[in-house]
Amino acid sequence: MAMLEVKDLEVYYGMIQAIKGISFEVNKGEVIALIGANGAGKTTTLHTITGLLSPKKGSVMFEGKDITKIPAHKIVSMGMAHVPEGRRVFADLSVYENLKLGAYTRKDKENLNKDLESIYERFPRLAERKNQSAGTLSGGEQQMLAMGRALMSKPSIILMDEPSMGLSPILVNEIFDIIESISKSGTTVLLVEQNAKKALSIADRAYVLETGKIVTSGKASELLENDSIKKAYLGE
């Protein structure tokens, strides 16, 4: 059984149909990339999975449960974390306070300090700046904080929306290394990313979205070699 199963999803903004009956699945332990141009419906798809938007039709199943009508805050406590586009850290709160907020749904409060330590090990820069307000961090550090905060909820799957957006090439590489290490430590990853080449280089499988429809899917390594994908998304 797939960990996450999206079936025949249709989503509208008013009269405009943003998602046109897409279906895909994510298996436990996979890194799955959703790639496509701006406006293809990638973010809308993530927002619908995490309960921020309601579909007009279709369903979202997570670990065998139908979560289509479940509100976003309850979905988090079921083991799904969302790192939104544009980072969305709490600028006035410290790094430490932001990370602690990531764990608000957890019942096992006694392990929080241990988990904070492991976040600081994975993101040494956050450890150096733990008492600084998040608004003073660079874009790359804010992205790391958003990822660290999501990991504090101990998710079984993490959804990331454009984690490399607006970052320098060196930082992009660093963020993708971190995503790979998150995957290796056992967390399933669903990645929405404009940088198709980087996304395909770390993903197991990928789905290509165009104007609300999935037009291609397959092994990420094969899509990297696919001529029409190269032309459209890899700038070759």
Side-chain angles (χ1 to χ4, degrees), residues 94-103 106 108-124 126-128 130 145 148-149 151-154:
S94 70
V95 166
Y96 167 73
E97 288 164 330
N98 267 275
L99 290 171
K100 277 199 74 170
L101 272 174
R106 284 175 51 179
D108 62 321
K109 301 295 186 210
E110 64 281 355
N111 293 323
L112 287 192
N113 287 338
K114 192 165 113 268
D115 292 330
L116 267 171
E117 285 312 312
S118 74
I119 296 290
Y120 289 146
E121 270 170 43
R122 182 170 269 157
F123 303 97
L126 296 184
E128 288 160 25
K130 62 183 167 205
L145 178 55
R149 185 179 65 195
L151 289 170
M152 281 297 289
S153 70
K154 283 286 217 224

PDB file of all heavy atoms in Angstrom, residues 94-103 106 108-124 126-128 130 145 148-149 151-154:
ATOM      1  N   SER A  94      12.890  33.568  18.227  1.00  0.00           N
ATOM      2  CA  SER A  94      14.255  33.076  18.044  1.00  0.00           C
ATOM      3  C   SER A  94      14.235  31.768  17.248  1.00  0.00           C
ATOM      4  O   SER A  94      13.199  31.129  17.081  1.00  0.00           O
ATOM      5  CB  SER A  94      14.921  32.834  19.403  1.00  0.00           C
ATOM      6  OG  SER A  94      14.319  31.716  20.038  1.00  0.00           O
ATOM      7  N   VAL A  95      15.418  31.391  16.785  1.00  0.00           N
ATOM      8  CA  VAL A  95      15.586  30.108  16.091  1.00  0.00           C
ATOM      9  C   VAL A  95      15.074  28.974  16.983  1.00  0.00           C
ATOM     10  O   VAL A  95      14.313  28.105  16.561  1.00  0.00           O
ATOM     11  CB  VAL A  95      17.074  29.896  15.724  1.00  0.00           C
ATOM     12  CG1 VAL A  95      17.354  28.459  15.308  1.00  0.00           C
ATOM     13  CG2 VAL A  95      17.472  30.874  14.610  1.00  0.00           C
ATOM     14  N   TYR A  96      15.503  29.013  18.245  1.00  0.00           N
ATOM     15  CA  TYR A  96      15.102  27.985  19.215  1.00  0.00           C
ATOM     16  C   TYR A  96      13.573  27.932  19.372  1.00  0.00           C
ATOM     17  O   TYR A  96      12.967  26.859  19.355  1.00  0.00           O
ATOM     18  CB  TYR A  96      15.791  28.282  20.546  1.00  0.00           C
ATOM     19  CG  TYR A  96      15.247  27.518  21.728  1.00  0.00           C
ATOM     20  CD1 TYR A  96      15.507  26.152  21.886  1.00  0.00           C
ATOM     21  CD2 TYR A  96      14.467  28.163  22.700  1.00  0.00           C
ATOM     22  CE1 TYR A  96      15.012  25.457  22.980  1.00  0.00           C
ATOM     23  CE2 TYR A  96      13.969  27.471  23.784  1.00  0.00           C
ATOM     24  CZ  TYR A  96      14.231  26.117  23.921  1.00  0.00           C
ATOM     25  OH  TYR A  96      13.729  25.431  24.994  1.00  0.00           O
ATOM     26  N   GLU A  97      12.945  29.096  19.478  1.00  0.00           N
ATOM     27  CA  GLU A  97      11.476  29.127  19.649  1.00  0.00           C
ATOM     28  C   GLU A  97      10.764  28.603  18.397  1.00  0.00           C
ATOM     29  O   GLU A  97       9.758  27.898  18.499  1.00  0.00           O
ATOM     30  CB  GLU A  97      11.011  30.554  19.973  1.00  0.00           C
ATOM     31  CG  GLU A  97      11.388  31.009  21.361  1.00  0.00           C
ATOM     32  CD  GLU A  97      11.287  32.520  21.558  1.00  0.00           C
ATOM     33  OE1 GLU A  97      11.469  33.293  20.589  1.00  0.00           O
ATOM     34  OE2 GLU A  97      11.037  32.931  22.689  1.00  0.00           O
ATOM     35  N   ASN A  98      11.303  28.953  17.233  1.00  0.00           N
ATOM     36  CA  ASN A  98      10.734  28.423  15.983  1.00  0.00           C
ATOM     37  C   ASN A  98      10.783  26.895  15.969  1.00  0.00           C
ATOM     38  O   ASN A  98       9.810  26.236  15.609  1.00  0.00           O
ATOM     39  CB  ASN A  98      11.500  28.966  14.767  1.00  0.00           C
ATOM     40  CG  ASN A  98      10.890  30.221  14.181  1.00  0.00           C
ATOM     41  OD1 ASN A  98       9.977  30.170  13.355  1.00  0.00           O
ATOM     42  ND2 ASN A  98      11.396  31.362  14.613  1.00  0.00           N
ATOM     43  N   LEU A  99      11.934  26.350  16.363  1.00  0.00           N
ATOM     44  CA  LEU A  99      12.086  24.892  16.351  1.00  0.00           C
ATOM     45  C   LEU A  99      11.131  24.234  17.346  1.00  0.00           C
ATOM     46  O   LEU A  99      10.496  23.223  17.050  1.00  0.00           O
ATOM     47  CB  LEU A  99      13.536  24.506  16.659  1.00  0.00           C
ATOM     48  CG  LEU A  99      14.545  24.832  15.557  1.00  0.00           C
ATOM     49  CD1 LEU A  99      15.974  24.606  16.049  1.00  0.00           C
ATOM     50  CD2 LEU A  99      14.291  24.011  14.294  1.00  0.00           C
ATOM     51  N   LYS A 100      10.999  24.844  18.529  1.00  0.00           N
ATOM     52  CA  LYS A 100      10.099  24.264  19.528  1.00  0.00           C
ATOM     53  C   LYS A 100       8.652  24.269  19.033  1.00  0.00           C
ATOM     54  O   LYS A 100       7.889  23.341  19.310  1.00  0.00           O
ATOM     55  CB  LYS A 100      10.207  25.017  20.855  1.00  0.00           C
ATOM     56  CG  LYS A 100      11.375  24.509  21.670  1.00  0.00           C
ATOM     57  CD  LYS A 100      11.282  24.855  23.130  1.00  0.00           C
ATOM     58  CE  LYS A 100      10.251  24.022  23.876  1.00  0.00           C
ATOM     59  NZ  LYS A 100      10.367  24.216  25.342  1.00  0.00           N
ATOM     60  N   LEU A 101       8.288  25.305  18.285  1.00  0.00           N
ATOM     61  CA  LEU A 101       6.918  25.364  17.743  1.00  0.00           C
ATOM     62  C   LEU A 101       6.646  24.206  16.791  1.00  0.00           C
ATOM     63  O   LEU A 101       5.511  23.756  16.665  1.00  0.00           O
ATOM     64  CB  LEU A 101       6.703  26.689  17.000  1.00  0.00           C
ATOM     65  CG  LEU A 101       6.218  27.846  17.862  1.00  0.00           C
ATOM     66  CD1 LEU A 101       6.194  29.122  17.032  1.00  0.00           C
ATOM     67  CD2 LEU A 101       4.827  27.569  18.433  1.00  0.00           C
ATOM     68  N   GLY A 102       7.711  23.727  16.133  1.00  0.00           N
ATOM     69  CA  GLY A 102       7.542  22.597  15.219  1.00  0.00           C
ATOM     70  C   GLY A 102       7.060  21.345  15.921  1.00  0.00           C
ATOM     71  O   GLY A 102       6.492  20.445  15.293  1.00  0.00           O
ATOM     72  N   ALA A 103       7.281  21.287  17.230  1.00  0.00           N
ATOM     73  CA  ALA A 103       6.948  20.066  17.982  1.00  0.00           C
ATOM     74  C   ALA A 103       5.624  20.186  18.727  1.00  0.00           C
ATOM     75  O   ALA A 103       5.293  19.328  19.537  1.00  0.00           O
ATOM     76  CB  ALA A 103       8.070  19.763  18.972  1.00  0.00           C
ATOM     77  N   ARG A 106       3.299  17.185  19.220  1.00  0.00           N
ATOM     78  CA  ARG A 106       3.826  15.916  19.729  1.00  0.00           C
ATOM     79  C   ARG A 106       3.376  15.628  21.151  1.00  0.00           C
ATOM     80  O   ARG A 106       3.255  16.514  21.971  1.00  0.00           O
ATOM     81  CB  ARG A 106       5.348  15.930  19.665  1.00  0.00           C
ATOM     82  CG  ARG A 106       5.857  15.716  18.252  1.00  0.00           C
ATOM     83  CD  ARG A 106       7.335  15.852  18.144  1.00  0.00           C
ATOM     84  NE  ARG A 106       8.051  15.054  19.125  1.00  0.00           N
ATOM     85  CZ  ARG A 106       9.372  15.010  19.196  1.00  0.00           C
ATOM     86  NH1 ARG A 106      10.087  15.714  18.346  1.00  0.00           N
ATOM     87  NH2 ARG A 106       9.969  14.263  20.092  1.00  0.00           N
ATOM     88  N   ASP A 108       5.119  13.252  22.984  1.00  0.00           N
ATOM     89  CA  ASP A 108       6.304  12.819  23.750  1.00  0.00           C
ATOM     90  C   ASP A 108       7.238  13.992  24.017  1.00  0.00           C
ATOM     91  O   ASP A 108       8.339  14.075  23.489  1.00  0.00           O
ATOM     92  CB  ASP A 108       7.045  11.713  22.973  1.00  0.00           C
ATOM     93  CG  ASP A 108       7.543  12.215  21.622  1.00  0.00           C
ATOM     94  OD1 ASP A 108       6.820  12.988  20.966  1.00  0.00           O
ATOM     95  OD2 ASP A 108       8.664  11.839  21.224  1.00  0.00           O
ATOM     96  N   LYS A 109       6.815  14.901  24.885  1.00  0.00           N
ATOM     97  CA  LYS A 109       7.600  16.121  25.111  1.00  0.00           C
ATOM     98  C   LYS A 109       8.983  15.823  25.709  1.00  0.00           C
ATOM     99  O   LYS A 109       9.903  16.622  25.594  1.00  0.00           O
ATOM    100  CB  LYS A 109       6.842  17.078  26.048  1.00  0.00           C
ATOM    101  CG  LYS A 109       5.466  17.512  25.536  1.00  0.00           C
ATOM    102  CD  LYS A 109       5.548  18.339  24.263  1.00  0.00           C
ATOM    103  CE  LYS A 109       4.186  18.876  23.852  1.00  0.00           C
ATOM    104  NZ  LYS A 109       4.000  19.064  22.428  1.00  0.00           N
ATOM    105  N   GLU A 110       9.128  14.644  26.352  1.00  0.00           N
ATOM    106  CA  GLU A 110      10.407  14.377  27.049  1.00  0.00           C
ATOM    107  C   GLU A 110      11.579  14.207  26.078  1.00  0.00           C
ATOM    108  O   GLU A 110      12.727  14.365  26.465  1.00  0.00           O
ATOM    109  CB  GLU A 110      10.290  13.159  27.982  1.00  0.00           C
ATOM    110  CG  GLU A 110      10.012  11.816  27.297  1.00  0.00           C
ATOM    111  CD  GLU A 110       8.548  11.613  26.893  1.00  0.00           C
ATOM    112  OE1 GLU A 110       7.703  12.471  27.221  1.00  0.00           O
ATOM    113  OE2 GLU A 110       8.270  10.604  26.235  1.00  0.00           O
ATOM    114  N   ASN A 111      11.293  13.904  24.806  1.00  0.00           N
ATOM    115  CA  ASN A 111      12.401  13.720  23.856  1.00  0.00           C
ATOM    116  C   ASN A 111      12.786  14.993  23.096  1.00  0.00           C
ATOM    117  O   ASN A 111      13.641  14.959  22.226  1.00  0.00           O
ATOM    118  CB  ASN A 111      12.045  12.638  22.830  1.00  0.00           C
ATOM    119  CG  ASN A 111      11.946  11.275  23.483  1.00  0.00           C
ATOM    120  OD1 ASN A 111      12.704  10.964  24.380  1.00  0.00           O
ATOM    121  ND2 ASN A 111      10.989  10.467  23.039  1.00  0.00           N
ATOM    122  N   LEU A 112      12.134  16.107  23.441  1.00  0.00           N
ATOM    123  CA  LEU A 112      12.341  17.322  22.639  1.00  0.00           C
ATOM    124  C   LEU A 112      13.795  17.782  22.630  1.00  0.00           C
ATOM    125  O   LEU A 112      14.315  18.162  21.579  1.00  0.00           O
ATOM    126  CB  LEU A 112      11.459  18.467  23.153  1.00  0.00           C
ATOM    127  CG  LEU A 112       9.961  18.338  22.847  1.00  0.00           C
ATOM    128  CD1 LEU A 112       9.248  19.646  23.142  1.00  0.00           C
ATOM    129  CD2 LEU A 112       9.728  17.944  21.388  1.00  0.00           C
ATOM    130  N   ASN A 113      14.445  17.755  23.789  1.00  0.00           N
ATOM    131  CA  ASN A 113      15.812  18.274  23.834  1.00  0.00           C
ATOM    132  C   ASN A 113      16.759  17.429  22.998  1.00  0.00           C
ATOM    133  O   ASN A 113      17.629  17.939  22.303  1.00  0.00           O
ATOM    134  CB  ASN A 113      16.304  18.387  25.282  1.00  0.00           C
ATOM    135  CG  ASN A 113      15.625  19.556  25.977  1.00  0.00           C
ATOM    136  OD1 ASN A 113      15.137  20.475  25.307  1.00  0.00           O
ATOM    137  ND2 ASN A 113      15.562  19.531  27.298  1.00  0.00           N
ATOM    138  N   LYS A 114      16.534  16.117  23.034  1.00  0.00           N
ATOM    139  CA  LYS A 114      17.345  15.206  22.222  1.00  0.00           C
ATOM    140  C   LYS A 114      17.155  15.517  20.728  1.00  0.00           C
ATOM    141  O   LYS A 114      18.111  15.571  19.952  1.00  0.00           O
ATOM    142  CB  LYS A 114      16.912  13.773  22.538  1.00  0.00           C
ATOM    143  CG  LYS A 114      17.833  12.712  22.004  1.00  0.00           C
ATOM    144  CD  LYS A 114      17.535  11.370  22.662  1.00  0.00           C
ATOM    145  CE  LYS A 114      16.987  10.377  21.707  1.00  0.00           C
ATOM    146  NZ  LYS A 114      15.678  10.130  21.434  1.00  0.00           N
ATOM    147  N   ASP A 115      15.894  15.769  20.352  1.00  0.00           N
ATOM    148  CA  ASP A 115      15.615  16.058  18.939  1.00  0.00           C
ATOM    149  C   ASP A 115      16.157  17.421  18.529  1.00  0.00           C
ATOM    150  O   ASP A 115      16.634  17.587  17.405  1.00  0.00           O
ATOM    151  CB  ASP A 115      14.115  15.956  18.670  1.00  0.00           C
ATOM    152  CG  ASP A 115      13.637  14.522  18.803  1.00  0.00           C
ATOM    153  OD1 ASP A 115      14.443  13.606  18.533  1.00  0.00           O
ATOM    154  OD2 ASP A 115      12.487  14.297  19.187  1.00  0.00           O
ATOM    155  N   LEU A 116      16.093  18.387  19.439  1.00  0.00           N
ATOM    156  CA  LEU A 116      16.698  19.694  19.158  1.00  0.00           C
ATOM    157  C   LEU A 116      18.195  19.522  18.889  1.00  0.00           C
ATOM    158  O   LEU A 116      18.726  20.102  17.945  1.00  0.00           O
ATOM    159  CB  LEU A 116      16.527  20.629  20.359  1.00  0.00           C
ATOM    160  CG  LEU A 116      15.314  21.550  20.363  1.00  0.00           C
ATOM    161  CD1 LEU A 116      15.182  22.229  21.717  1.00  0.00           C
ATOM    162  CD2 LEU A 116      15.403  22.595  19.254  1.00  0.00           C
ATOM    163  N   GLU A 117      18.849  18.719  19.726  1.00  0.00           N
ATOM    164  CA  GLU A 117      20.282  18.490  19.532  1.00  0.00           C
ATOM    165  C   GLU A 117      20.558  17.882  18.158  1.00  0.00           C
ATOM    166  O   GLU A 117      21.517  18.253  17.485  1.00  0.00           O
ATOM    167  CB  GLU A 117      20.850  17.574  20.636  1.00  0.00           C
ATOM    168  CG  GLU A 117      21.027  18.265  21.982  1.00  0.00           C
ATOM    169  CD  GLU A 117      21.730  19.618  21.877  1.00  0.00           C
ATOM    170  OE1 GLU A 117      22.779  19.696  21.205  1.00  0.00           O
ATOM    171  OE2 GLU A 117      21.225  20.599  22.458  1.00  0.00           O
ATOM    172  N   SER A 118      19.694  16.935  17.744  1.00  0.00           N
ATOM    173  CA  SER A 118      19.962  16.302  16.440  1.00  0.00           C
ATOM    174  C   SER A 118      19.705  17.284  15.287  1.00  0.00           C
ATOM    175  O   SER A 118      20.373  17.236  14.262  1.00  0.00           O
ATOM    176  CB  SER A 118      19.155  15.012  16.282  1.00  0.00           C
ATOM    177  OG  SER A 118      17.811  15.299  16.042  1.00  0.00           O
ATOM    178  N   ILE A 119      18.762  18.222  15.480  1.00  0.00           N
ATOM    179  CA  ILE A 119      18.555  19.268  14.463  1.00  0.00           C
ATOM    180  C   ILE A 119      19.796  20.173  14.403  1.00  0.00           C
ATOM    181  O   ILE A 119      20.276  20.532  13.330  1.00  0.00           O
ATOM    182  CB  ILE A 119      17.297  20.114  14.779  1.00  0.00           C
ATOM    183  CG1 ILE A 119      16.021  19.256  14.728  1.00  0.00           C
ATOM    184  CG2 ILE A 119      17.184  21.310  13.820  1.00  0.00           C
ATOM    185  CD1 ILE A 119      15.586  18.774  13.372  1.00  0.00           C
ATOM    186  N   TYR A 120      20.323  20.521  15.572  1.00  0.00           N
ATOM    187  CA  TYR A 120      21.515  21.383  15.607  1.00  0.00           C
ATOM    188  C   TYR A 120      22.723  20.682  14.983  1.00  0.00           C
ATOM    189  O   TYR A 120      23.584  21.330  14.379  1.00  0.00           O
ATOM    190  CB  TYR A 120      21.842  21.812  17.039  1.00  0.00           C
ATOM    191  CG  TYR A 120      20.857  22.814  17.628  1.00  0.00           C
ATOM    192  CD1 TYR A 120      20.541  22.794  18.983  1.00  0.00           C
ATOM    193  CD2 TYR A 120      20.263  23.794  16.832  1.00  0.00           C
ATOM    194  CE1 TYR A 120      19.653  23.714  19.533  1.00  0.00           C
ATOM    195  CE2 TYR A 120      19.369  24.711  17.363  1.00  0.00           C
ATOM    196  CZ  TYR A 120      19.062  24.674  18.722  1.00  0.00           C
ATOM    197  OH  TYR A 120      18.181  25.578  19.263  1.00  0.00           O
ATOM    198  N   GLU A 121      22.783  19.375  15.137  1.00  0.00           N
ATOM    199  CA  GLU A 121      23.880  18.635  14.491  1.00  0.00           C
ATOM    200  C   GLU A 121      23.733  18.663  12.975  1.00  0.00           C
ATOM    201  O   GLU A 121      24.712  18.808  12.242  1.00  0.00           O
ATOM    202  CB  GLU A 121      23.869  17.175  14.961  1.00  0.00           C
ATOM    203  CG  GLU A 121      24.695  16.931  16.195  1.00  0.00           C
ATOM    204  CD  GLU A 121      24.463  15.535  16.761  1.00  0.00           C
ATOM    205  OE1 GLU A 121      24.400  14.563  15.962  1.00  0.00           O
ATOM    206  OE2 GLU A 121      24.335  15.421  17.991  1.00  0.00           O
ATOM    207  N   ARG A 122      22.503  18.506  12.515  1.00  0.00           N
ATOM    208  CA  ARG A 122      22.272  18.499  11.073  1.00  0.00           C
ATOM    209  C   ARG A 122      22.424  19.897  10.474  1.00  0.00           C
ATOM    210  O   ARG A 122      22.836  20.053   9.333  1.00  0.00           O
ATOM    211  CB  ARG A 122      20.849  17.966  10.803  1.00  0.00           C
ATOM    212  CG  ARG A 122      20.517  17.876   9.339  1.00  0.00           C
ATOM    213  CD  ARG A 122      19.218  17.134   9.125  1.00  0.00           C
ATOM    214  NE  ARG A 122      19.447  15.718   8.933  1.00  0.00           N
ATOM    215  CZ  ARG A 122      18.527  14.775   9.150  1.00  0.00           C
ATOM    216  NH1 ARG A 122      17.343  15.101   9.588  1.00  0.00           N
ATOM    217  NH2 ARG A 122      18.795  13.518   8.919  1.00  0.00           N
ATOM    218  N   PHE A 123      22.060  20.914  11.247  1.00  0.00           N
ATOM    219  CA  PHE A 123      22.140  22.309  10.778  1.00  0.00           C
ATOM    220  C   PHE A 123      22.999  23.111  11.765  1.00  0.00           C
ATOM    221  O   PHE A 123      22.471  23.857  12.585  1.00  0.00           O
ATOM    222  CB  PHE A 123      20.746  22.945  10.728  1.00  0.00           C
ATOM    223  CG  PHE A 123      19.734  22.234   9.878  1.00  0.00           C
ATOM    224  CD1 PHE A 123      18.827  21.347  10.458  1.00  0.00           C
ATOM    225  CD2 PHE A 123      19.638  22.458   8.510  1.00  0.00           C
ATOM    226  CE1 PHE A 123      17.863  20.703   9.691  1.00  0.00           C
ATOM    227  CE2 PHE A 123      18.676  21.818   7.744  1.00  0.00           C
ATOM    228  CZ  PHE A 123      17.795  20.937   8.326  1.00  0.00           C
ATOM    229  N   PRO A 124      24.332  22.971  11.672  1.00  0.00           N
ATOM    230  CA  PRO A 124      25.210  23.649  12.652  1.00  0.00           C
ATOM    231  C   PRO A 124      24.986  25.160  12.711  1.00  0.00           C
ATOM    232  O   PRO A 124      25.116  25.769  13.767  1.00  0.00           O
ATOM    233  CB  PRO A 124      26.620  23.321  12.150  1.00  0.00           C
ATOM    234  CG  PRO A 124      26.471  22.136  11.254  1.00  0.00           C
ATOM    235  CD  PRO A 124      25.088  22.163  10.707  1.00  0.00           C
ATOM    236  N   LEU A 126      22.236  26.730  12.578  1.00  0.00           N
ATOM    237  CA  LEU A 126      21.099  27.052  13.461  1.00  0.00           C
ATOM    238  C   LEU A 126      21.554  27.003  14.919  1.00  0.00           C
ATOM    239  O   LEU A 126      21.081  27.780  15.746  1.00  0.00           O
ATOM    240  CB  LEU A 126      19.946  26.065  13.237  1.00  0.00           C
ATOM    241  CG  LEU A 126      19.305  26.080  11.838  1.00  0.00           C
ATOM    242  CD1 LEU A 126      18.125  25.114  11.802  1.00  0.00           C
ATOM    243  CD2 LEU A 126      18.866  27.482  11.426  1.00  0.00           C
ATOM    244  N   ALA A 127      22.464  26.090  15.222  1.00  0.00           N
ATOM    245  CA  ALA A 127      22.982  26.005  16.596  1.00  0.00           C
ATOM    246  C   ALA A 127      23.712  27.301  16.958  1.00  0.00           C
ATOM    247  O   ALA A 127      23.525  27.855  18.045  1.00  0.00           O
ATOM    248  CB  ALA A 127      23.916  24.808  16.726  1.00  0.00           C
ATOM    249  N   GLU A 128      24.517  27.803  16.008  1.00  0.00           N
ATOM    250  CA  GLU A 128      25.268  29.047  16.269  1.00  0.00           C
ATOM    251  C   GLU A 128      24.341  30.229  16.495  1.00  0.00           C
ATOM    252  O   GLU A 128      24.679  31.180  17.195  1.00  0.00           O
ATOM    253  CB  GLU A 128      26.175  29.374  15.067  1.00  0.00           C
ATOM    254  CG  GLU A 128      27.372  28.458  14.905  1.00  0.00           C
ATOM    255  CD  GLU A 128      27.923  28.512  13.470  1.00  0.00           C
ATOM    256  OE1 GLU A 128      27.720  29.539  12.775  1.00  0.00           O
ATOM    257  OE2 GLU A 128      28.552  27.524  13.056  1.00  0.00           O
ATOM    258  N   LYS A 130      21.039  30.087  17.601  1.00  0.00           N
ATOM    259  CA  LYS A 130      19.769  29.644  18.198  1.00  0.00           C
ATOM    260  C   LYS A 130      19.042  30.735  18.983  1.00  0.00           C
ATOM    261  O   LYS A 130      17.824  30.690  19.104  1.00  0.00           O
ATOM    262  CB  LYS A 130      19.960  28.386  19.049  1.00  0.00           C
ATOM    263  CG  LYS A 130      20.876  28.511  20.231  1.00  0.00           C
ATOM    264  CD  LYS A 130      20.985  27.135  20.899  1.00  0.00           C
ATOM    265  CE  LYS A 130      22.133  27.115  21.889  1.00  0.00           C
ATOM    266  NZ  LYS A 130      22.638  25.765  22.098  1.00  0.00           N
ATOM    267  N   LEU A 145      15.972  26.552   8.762  1.00  0.00           N
ATOM    268  CA  LEU A 145      15.116  26.634   9.949  1.00  0.00           C
ATOM    269  C   LEU A 145      13.723  26.069   9.644  1.00  0.00           C
ATOM    270  O   LEU A 145      13.157  25.318  10.454  1.00  0.00           O
ATOM    271  CB  LEU A 145      15.023  28.084  10.431  1.00  0.00           C
ATOM    272  CG  LEU A 145      14.113  28.340  11.635  1.00  0.00           C
ATOM    273  CD1 LEU A 145      14.503  27.460  12.826  1.00  0.00           C
ATOM    274  CD2 LEU A 145      14.145  29.820  12.032  1.00  0.00           C
ATOM    275  N   GLY A 148      14.151  22.382   9.597  1.00  0.00           N
ATOM    276  CA  GLY A 148      14.362  21.880  10.952  1.00  0.00           C
ATOM    277  C   GLY A 148      13.076  21.893  11.758  1.00  0.00           C
ATOM    278  O   GLY A 148      12.761  20.941  12.479  1.00  0.00           O
ATOM    279  N   ARG A 149      12.320  22.971  11.602  1.00  0.00           N
ATOM    280  CA  ARG A 149      11.038  23.085  12.330  1.00  0.00           C
ATOM    281  C   ARG A 149      10.087  21.964  11.916  1.00  0.00           C
ATOM    282  O   ARG A 149       9.425  21.358  12.753  1.00  0.00           O
ATOM    283  CB  ARG A 149      10.423  24.454  12.046  1.00  0.00           C
ATOM    284  CG  ARG A 149       9.158  24.737  12.839  1.00  0.00           C
ATOM    285  CD  ARG A 149       8.609  26.111  12.521  1.00  0.00           C
ATOM    286  NE  ARG A 149       8.176  26.189  11.132  1.00  0.00           N
ATOM    287  CZ  ARG A 149       7.920  27.338  10.493  1.00  0.00           C
ATOM    288  NH1 ARG A 149       8.081  28.494  11.107  1.00  0.00           N
ATOM    289  NH2 ARG A 149       7.515  27.326   9.236  1.00  0.00           N
ATOM    290  N   LEU A 151      10.936  19.031  10.757  1.00  0.00           N
ATOM    291  CA  LEU A 151      11.461  17.751  11.272  1.00  0.00           C
ATOM    292  C   LEU A 151      11.178  17.571  12.764  1.00  0.00           C
ATOM    293  O   LEU A 151      11.100  16.442  13.252  1.00  0.00           O
ATOM    294  CB  LEU A 151      12.966  17.657  11.012  1.00  0.00           C
ATOM    295  CG  LEU A 151      13.357  17.460   9.547  1.00  0.00           C
ATOM    296  CD1 LEU A 151      14.857  17.626   9.376  1.00  0.00           C
ATOM    297  CD2 LEU A 151      12.919  16.090   9.034  1.00  0.00           C
ATOM    298  N   MET A 152      10.999  18.677  13.491  1.00  0.00           N
ATOM    299  CA  MET A 152      10.721  18.582  14.928  1.00  0.00           C
ATOM    300  C   MET A 152       9.370  17.918  15.209  1.00  0.00           C
ATOM    301  O   MET A 152       9.134  17.461  16.316  1.00  0.00           O
ATOM    302  CB  MET A 152      10.752  19.975  15.579  1.00  0.00           C
ATOM    303  CG  MET A 152      12.136  20.508  15.852  1.00  0.00           C
ATOM    304  SD  MET A 152      13.114  19.520  17.030  1.00  0.00           S
ATOM    305  CE  MET A 152      12.266  19.868  18.574  1.00  0.00           C
ATOM    306  N   SER A 153       8.496  17.860  14.216  1.00  0.00           N
ATOM    307  CA  SER A 153       7.215  17.175  14.445  1.00  0.00           C
ATOM    308  C   SER A 153       7.352  15.667  14.253  1.00  0.00           C
ATOM    309  O   SER A 153       6.371  14.943  14.349  1.00  0.00           O
ATOM    310  CB  SER A 153       6.125  17.742  13.520  1.00  0.00           C
ATOM    311  OG  SER A 153       6.376  17.368  12.174  1.00  0.00           O
ATOM    312  N   LYS A 154       8.578  15.206  13.979  1.00  0.00           N
ATOM    313  CA  LYS A 154       8.855  13.775  13.770  1.00  0.00           C
ATOM    314  C   LYS A 154       7.944  13.196  12.682  1.00  0.00           C
ATOM    315  O   LYS A 154       7.233  12.219  12.909  1.00  0.00           O
ATOM    316  CB  LYS A 154       8.615  12.999  15.080  1.00  0.00           C
ATOM    317  CG  LYS A 154       9.700  13.136  16.102  1.00  0.00           C
ATOM    318  CD  LYS A 154      10.879  12.342  15.674  1.00  0.00           C
ATOM    319  CE  LYS A 154      11.648  11.652  16.726  1.00  0.00           C
ATOM    320  NZ  LYS A 154      13.083  11.817  16.515  1.00  0.00           N
TER     321      LYS A 154
END
